[in-house]
Amino acid sequence: MTRLLTVLIGATLGITVGIAQTSTKEDSDYQLLKTDSYSIEIPKGWKVSPETFFGQRKVKPSSGKGELGLMTAPPSRQSWEQLYRTSLFYILREEEGKATPFKLTKTKRGYEAATFDVVDRDGFNGRRYVLIKHAEKGLLAVSVAIPEKATEKEWAKHFKRMVDTATFVE
């Protein structure tokens, strides 16, 4: 009922929310998440939230804490510094922490990207971010919220897989 109400309100306001489809290869621990604007591999069997009106999705295991995040933005002429500062404004409103400086890099698919982390009061960089830019297609922000240091290796592996497989739909 809530989903129907959301769709009806969105339709009334002229807002479109992207639909995601997933497909799985039998020999893989990951499945392909494909939307109108990007495709990316996520852990098999994890739940994908509907896209919000501002382009955000959460990917979570069926139980436990932690999440992977995806968010899109339209093409922009903002510098990396501006994108970083804008991202931090929203990130640090959700939860306090100390942001690391961003580093410019390229993804495995050849897209320009900026990476940074947010360190908690215990010194753990459990929140990690990659901003992936395409001049015509826009921005895809990929994030991970690692629930605890003991699960860091597993969550870092999933996050890396998402970043490595992120592709803008042509």
Side-chain angles (χ1 to χ4, degrees):
M1 181 66 175
T2 303
R3 173 98 170 114
L4 177 61
L5 185 58
T6 303
V7 171
L8 290 174
I9 291 170
T12 303
L13 297 174
I15 301 170
T16 60
V17 178
I19 304 297
Q21 299 175 346
T22 58
S23 61
T24 306
K25 296 178 186 174
E26 282 193 34
D27 63 340
S28 177
D29 292 333
Y30 293 89
Q31 61 188 8
L32 181 67
L33 172 68
K34 187 168 182 161
T35 72
D36 291 342
S37 57
Y38 63 88
S39 66
I40 198 162
E41 290 186 15
I42 62 172
K44 188 187 285 185
W46 285 29
K47 296 176 184 176
V48 180
S49 71
E51 186 176 69
T52 65
F53 294 119
F54 48 91
Q56 184 178 27
R57 290 183 196 279
K58 300 288 185 180
V59 181
K60 297 181 178 187
S62 56
S63 64
K65 294 183 178 180
E67 67 184 19
L68 300 166
L70 299 159
M71 188 170 193
T72 57
S76 169
R77 293 181 190 241
Q78 286 188 320
S79 69
W80 283 112
E81 180 68 27
Q82 291 168 317
L83 290 169
Y84 171 72
R85 297 255 175 241
T86 301
S87 299
L88 287 180
F89 174 79
Y90 293 101
I91 290 166
L92 296 176
R93 280 178 36 181
E94 287 181 11
E95 185 180 339
E96 290 183 17
K98 181 175 168 84
T100 63
F102 70 91
K103 296 176 189 166
L104 295 180
T105 187
K106 286 205 180 245
T107 69
K108 278 196 170 188
R109 307 279 175 151
Y111 300 114
E112 291 181 31
T115 66
F116 61 95
D117 300 343
V118 175
V119 180
D120 66 18
R121 66 179 175 267
D122 298 324
F124 179 53
N125 63 331
R127 292 187 290 157
R128 301 171 189 180
Y129 303 86
V130 177
L131 307 178
I132 304 170
K133 194 193 276 190
H134 186 288
E136 291 90 37
K137 303 292 181 180
L139 186 76
L140 175 61
V142 183
S143 65
V144 62
I146 301 170
E148 58 190 6
K149 195 161 183 76
T151 60
E152 178 180 11
K153 189 174 182 178
E154 176 187 353
W155 281 92
K157 175 184 158 190
H158 297 321
F159 182 58
K160 181 179 182 328
R161 180 70 172 243
M162 286 178 59
V163 172
D164 289 349
T165 61
T167 305
F168 288 92
V169 174
E170 295 297 325

